[in-house]
Structure formats: structure tokens, C-alpha cells
């Protein structure tokens, strides 16, 4: 079997048929469709059982295990060469799987393949918006220092990597378990995002990223610092940025341009470092420095060089608590 599609559902009756139909209407046909009912109390079960397609494998949790445990249960059950994620309120465009699997088949170095997404929902009058996600392997991995680098319900992952290294979604990172998964997988192989919107991502008031937004923000801030220090440690034993660091003032960053001369993007990288450690919002960085750091590509090697430079220049720093 070529692909296993993993879709948990919890009280998803409102949009569940849309999600299921979008998978059954895929131009790519060689797959199993695992739908795991995580203790729903609505009509989700009746909706799933109304389908007779033999590719659907219905699993019912005895109780509500929550998303992380349900996803890990699904990973153990998937039998395909690839594992594709799907959410019970989204819509996959017909050629999504066909295009992703064709790319993975011809690029064995790539272990995770995502796509762009089209956001919709909540405000029906508002036009659908395509979110641009980085496509280049190096830029995708550099994005990890800022935020998650994939739209979770778009990804297709090589099953062999999950099984060989026994990767699981980490329960210690609930509500951002996918972010932690990408950071783990980044050490093993290459990433790619197809530069085309192949999934309609529904925005709802009850979805996890909305319901637990404040908790996610705090965990992401902590995880960013962990990633930076972990990555730097792989280059230089014992190297770690201090937990308490604050630039004397934001305008001091401009002096870095003089220090580095013509070094490419040094000004931007330095501002990114500030944003990482002080959790400054992108729109404020744009106002102060004239660019949006979330929309630029950053070389990992250059990023690391700047991090080390900043750590060694005490005249630009003073001790103060980091906002977290």
C-alpha cells in the first residue's frame, strides 16, 4: 500500500463529510483512510459508518484520549509507505496526494512534504487567503527557529523514517506537538513544501490553535530558545545563549551593520534574534526595521553566525528578564 491517511475526529459532525469526501475524491487512489473517533458524543460515528468505501478503516477509542495519544495510536496502525495527515474540518483538493507522492517518489532525500494552504471560514464575507509557507529545505528548517514550518494537515511523511527512529508526537508539547515533531525530523532528512495551495484550511472558533492560543504562545517562546541552544550546541560543545538577555535598546542593532560591513542580511538576522528572545511581534519589527522577518528566507549558517556574534558582544547586552 502506498499511503495511509490519518484523520482523528472529535465531535466533528459539522464538517466531517466535507473532509471525508475530499479524500475519497482524490485522483490518487492507492491508500487506506484511517479515521479515529476519539470519544465523540455527536453524530461523527454515524457519519463515518454511512460510507461503504473499503479504503476507510474506522477505529473507535474507548474514551477521549486527546489528540497526541490518538495521533500516536494512528502512527502505529498506518501500513502505507507514506503517512498523510488530515483534519476533520479541512478540505483536500483533488490532486493533493497525487502531487505530493509524485514528488516524494522522485526525491528520496525528502522525508516530509507539505503544501500551501488556503484559509477560509469564520468571516464568510472575507476573501479566502492563501498562506505562503517556505519551500526550500534550508529556509524551512530556519523557519523552525521562529514557528512551525508546515501546515500540519498538509504533510505527507515517509513511514520508514517514523518507524526506523520510532518517532512519536510528544505529549510534553501538547497543542504544539507538530512543531516538536518537525524539529525532531529535521535532523534526519530534507523538507519541502509544494508551492501550490492544495488544502483548504478551515478557521473555526473551537479549533485547538484558537482555543489554546495563550498557552501555545508561551510554549512556543520557550521552545524557540530550546531550539536555538540545541542547534548551536551541535556546532560547538557547551555553547548556549543565556536565558536572560536584553539588548540595551533596539536601535543599537543598527551598529551591527558597521561591524559586519557587507555581510549579507546581517541587519535582518540581528532583528530576528531580538524578536526570538523578546517575543516582539512581526508587525513591530517591521515598523522598527522596515521588514517582516516572517516573510524573509534565512540561511541557517548565517543565522548561527549572528547568534554567536550577538552572544559574544556584551556591550550590546544587559541582564534582564526575558518576557515569556
Amino acid at each position: 500500500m502506498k499511503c495511509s491517511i490519518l484523520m482523528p475526529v472529535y465531535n466533528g459532525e459539522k464538517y466531517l463529510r466535507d473532509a471525508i469526501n475530499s479524500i475519497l475524491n482524490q485522483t490518487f487512489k492507492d491508500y487506506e483512510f484511517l479515521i479515529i473517533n476519539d470519544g465523540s458524543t455527536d453524530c461523527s460515528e454515524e457519519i463515518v459508518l454511512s460510507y461503504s468505501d473499503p479504503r476507510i478503516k474506522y477505529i473507535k477509542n474507548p474514551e477521549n484520549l486527546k489528540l497526541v495519544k490518538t495521533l500516536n495510536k494512528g502512527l502505529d496502525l498506518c501500513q502505507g509507505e507514506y503517512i498523510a495527515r488530515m483534519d476533520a474540518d479541512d478540505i483536500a483538493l483533488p490532486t493533493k496526494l497525487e502531487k505530493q507522492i509524485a514528488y516524494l517518489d522522485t526525491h528520496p532525500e525528502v522525508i516530509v512534504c507539505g503544501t500551501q494552504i488556503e484559509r477560509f471560514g469564520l468571516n464568510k464575507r472575507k476573501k479566502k487567503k492563501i498562506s505562503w509557507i517556505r519551500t526550500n529545505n534550508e529556509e524551512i528548517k530556519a523557519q523552525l527557529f521562529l514557528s512551525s514550518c508546515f501546515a500540519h494537515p498538509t504533510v505527507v511523511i515517509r513511514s520508514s523514517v517514523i518507524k526506523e527512529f520510532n518517532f512519536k508526537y510528544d505529549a510534553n508539547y501538547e497543542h504544539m506537538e507538530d512543531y516538536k515533531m518537525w524539529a525532531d525530523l529535521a535532523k534526519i532528512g530534507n523538507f519541502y513544501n509544494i508551492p501550490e495551495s492544495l488544502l483548504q484550511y478551515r478557521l473555526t472558533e473551537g479549533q485547538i490553535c484558537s482555543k489554546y492560543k495563550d498557552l501555545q504562545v508561551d510554549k512556543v517562546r520557550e521552545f524557540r530558545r530550546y531550539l536555538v541552544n540545541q542547534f548551536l550546541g551541535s556546532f560547538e560543545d557547551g555553547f548556549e545563549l543565556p536565558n536572560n538577555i536584553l539588548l540595551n535598546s533596539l536601535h543599537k542593532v543598527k551598529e551591527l551593520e558597521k561591524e559586519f560591513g557587507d555581510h549579507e542580511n546581517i541587519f535582518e538576522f540581528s532583528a530576528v534574534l531580538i524578536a526570538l528572545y523578546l517575543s516582539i511581534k512581526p508587525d513591530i519589527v517591521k515598523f522598527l526595521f522596515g521588514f517582516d522577518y516572517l516573510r524573509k528566507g534565512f540561511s541557517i549558517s548565517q543565522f548561527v553566525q549572528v547568534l554567536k556574534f550577538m552572544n559574544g558582544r556584551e556591550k550590546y547586552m544587559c541582564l534582564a528578564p526575558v518576557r515569556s
Side-chain angles (χ1 to χ4, degrees):
M1 184 179 302
K2 196 70 172 177
C3 185
S4 297
I5 302 165
L6 173 57
M7 188 179 78
V9 57
Y10 175 69
N11 290 343
E13 63 179 4
K14 188 173 183 179
Y15 306 114
L16 185 55
R17 284 194 184 277
D18 289 343
I20 293 175
N21 290 340
S22 75
I23 294 299
L24 298 181
N25 291 329
Q26 289 290 302
T27 55
F28 183 86
K29 303 297 184 183
D30 184 15
Y31 62 80
E32 61 175 356
F33 187 11
L34 278 68
I35 303 177
I36 306 181
N37 183 354
D38 188 25
S40 296
T41 57
D42 64 358
C43 294
S44 293
E45 181 173 58
E46 289 84 345
I47 292 172
V48 176
L49 294 178
S50 70
Y51 289 86
S52 58
D53 193 303
R55 293 171 297 183
I56 293 179
K57 294 185 177 181
Y58 178 61
I59 301 101
K60 184 177 180 179
N61 289 343
E63 59 184 352
N64 180 229
L65 299 180
K66 304 296 184 181
L67 182 60
V68 173
K69 287 185 178 179
T70 299
L71 286 173
N72 286 333
K73 179 177 181 177
L75 291 180
D76 289 337
L77 293 172
C78 288
Q79 299 179 15
E81 179 181 347
Y82 300 114
I83 299 173
R85 272 284 287 114
M86 181 65 183
D87 283 345
D89 55 358
D90 294 333
I91 298 172
L93 272 61
T95 59
K96 177 182 180 294
L97 288 177
E98 178 183 352
K99 291 180 177 180
Q100 288 179 281
I101 290 173
Y103 186 88
L104 287 165
D105 279 346
T106 55
H107 296 81
E109 74 283 0
V110 175
I111 61 172
V112 184
C113 178
T115 79
Q116 312 303 314
I117 59 173
E118 183 179 45
R119 298 176 184 269
F120 75 107
L122 288 183
N123 189 345
K124 294 183 178 180
R125 295 181 180 180
K126 194 173 182 180
K127 291 183 178 179
K128 295 178 181 179
K129 181 180 180 181
I130 295 179
S131 296
W132 185 254
I133 306 169
R134 303 182 194 284
T135 59
N136 173 271
N137 175 62
E138 188 177 62
E139 291 184 1
I140 292 173
K141 290 182 177 179
Q143 179 71 27
L144 279 170
F145 291 118
L146 304 173
S147 62
S148 180
C149 57
F150 290 109
H152 196 185
T154 72
V155 299
V156 177
I157 309 170
R158 288 191 189 277
S159 179
S160 59
V161 175
I162 296 294
K163 297 184 186 304
E164 179 181 353
F165 296 94
N166 195 29
F167 280 123
K168 301 289 184 184
Y169 289 95
D170 194 333
N172 294 318
Y173 292 88
E174 190 177 13
H175 311 311
M176 54 172 285
E177 64 281 339
D178 55 326
Y179 192 177
K180 176 61 162 57
M181 176 68 86
W182 314 144
D184 291 339
L185 287 168
K187 307 168 189 175
I188 307 300
N190 289 357
F191 290 168
Y192 183 69
N193 276 307
I194 291 176
E196 179 182 355
S197 176
L198 294 174
L199 181 121
Q200 292 181 336
Y201 183 89
R202 192 187 304 270
L203 301 175
T204 65
E205 293 181 354
Q207 64 190 158
I208 288 177
C209 61
S210 298
K211 189 175 180 180
Y212 299 99
K213 184 177 180 180
D214 292 340
L215 181 60
Q216 278 184 319
V217 168
D218 290 339
K219 285 193 172 184
V220 166
R221 287 172 179 170
E222 180 182 348
F223 192 55
R224 283 171 179 165
R225 292 196 288 272
Y226 162 77
L227 283 179
V228 171
N229 285 325
Q230 183 186 56
F231 187 79
L232 290 173
S234 68
F235 278 81
E236 183 177 323
D237 290 340
F239 184 90
E240 186 173 346
L241 288 169
N243 288 327
N244 294 319
I245 176 175
L246 182 66
L247 294 186
N248 286 325
S249 60
L250 295 177
H251 71 269
K252 283 283 187 180
V253 179
K254 295 182 179 181
E255 296 183 24
L256 293 175
E257 288 183 292
K258 300 175 185 177
E259 298 284 349
F260 269 73
D262 295 330
H263 192 281
E264 183 182 2
N265 287 338
I266 185 64
F267 184 38
E268 287 88 344
F269 292 140
S270 304
V272 170
L273 178 64
I274 296 174
L276 281 171
Y277 270 78
L278 306 185
S279 297
I280 299 175
K281 294 181 178 179
D283 56 345
I284 298 178
V285 174
K286 185 175 182 179
F287 173 76
L288 291 168
F289 301 115
F291 76 98
D292 183 345
Y293 71 87
L294 288 179
R295 297 189 179 276
K296 295 187 70 68
F298 297 99
S299 159
I300 291 179
S301 59
Q302 291 172 319
F303 194 52
V304 170
Q305 189 173 357
V306 172
L307 288 170
K308 289 186 175 182
F309 174 81
M310 293 295 290
N311 191 50
R313 304 296 296 210
E314 293 184 356
K315 68 178 182 178
Y316 293 116
M317 301 178 184
C318 66
L319 292 179
V322 178
R323 292 189 302 166
S324 61

